[in-house]
Amino acid sequence: MGKIKAWAKKLKQQIFVLYFAYKDERVPWYAKIFSICVVAYAFSPIDLIPDFIPILGYLDDVLIVPLGILFALKMIPTEVRSECEEKAKEMMKNGKPKNWVVGSLIILFWCIILLWVILKVYQIFN
């Protein structure tokens, strides 16, 4: 169980590395877009595959998020990644900040998607 906790803590730290890298000007635009998508998905309460679906529900938590983190980290220049890792370690040690603006944007994003899906389903049945 200790290995799983250490793995989860490392993933969390890497998500913060991506967050800090997103803010750095030296990171290419495509890496920023991919990184912020991974961060938003990781922190989003809504999953691509709902957790109540047996086995498949946790597939995104075990595979999709770590693979997204891996690919995003490879897109970030080594020097920037090292600096961001230090910032993430420091932040994890001091406790993570609460960013209500980003949280609100993520919720708004998912509400817009949900509204769009509802409208499409309504159009199909009418």
Side-chain angles (χ1 to χ4, degrees):
M1 192 61 129
K3 286 184 179 183
I4 293 173
K5 284 185 179 182
W7 179 72
K9 186 176 180 180
K10 181 72 173 171
L11 277 180
K12 192 175 186 181
Q13 181 180 332
Q14 289 173 332
I15 291 169
F16 287 117
V17 169
L18 295 179
Y19 172 73
F20 287 125
Y22 168 76
K23 294 180 165 188
D24 198 298
E25 305 87 35
R26 298 172 289 176
V27 175
W29 64 270
Y30 58 88
K32 286 185 177 192
I33 291 172
F34 190 79
S35 294
I36 204 63
C37 287
V38 171
V39 170
Y41 185 77
F43 285 134
S44 174
I46 300 172
D47 291 338
L48 185 64
I49 306 168
D51 289 340
F52 64 82
I53 298 173
I55 300 171
L56 292 176
Y58 294 102
L59 190 63
D60 63 342
D61 298 329
V62 176
L63 285 177
I64 295 172
V65 172
L67 284 174
I69 291 170
L70 178 72
F71 290 136
L73 287 173
K74 291 196 179 285
M75 292 183 207
I76 298 168
T78 308
E79 180 181 314
V80 175
R81 190 172 58 231
S82 297
E83 292 173 16
C84 293
E85 285 172 355
E86 290 301 317
K87 288 179 186 177
K89 283 180 188 174
E90 187 65 32
M91 189 183 69
M92 294 279 291
K93 190 166 59 170
N94 295 334
K96 62 182 177 196
K98 292 179 176 47
N99 191 335
W100 296 105
V101 173
V102 173
S104 299
L105 288 174
I106 290 170
I107 291 170
L108 177 66
F109 172 75
W110 285 112
C111 287
I112 290 170
I113 289 177
L114 181 63
L115 180 63
W116 180 78
V117 168
I118 290 170
L119 289 174
K120 288 296 180 184
V121 169
Y122 180 76
Q123 288 175 352
I124 290 171
F125 289 110
N126 283 331

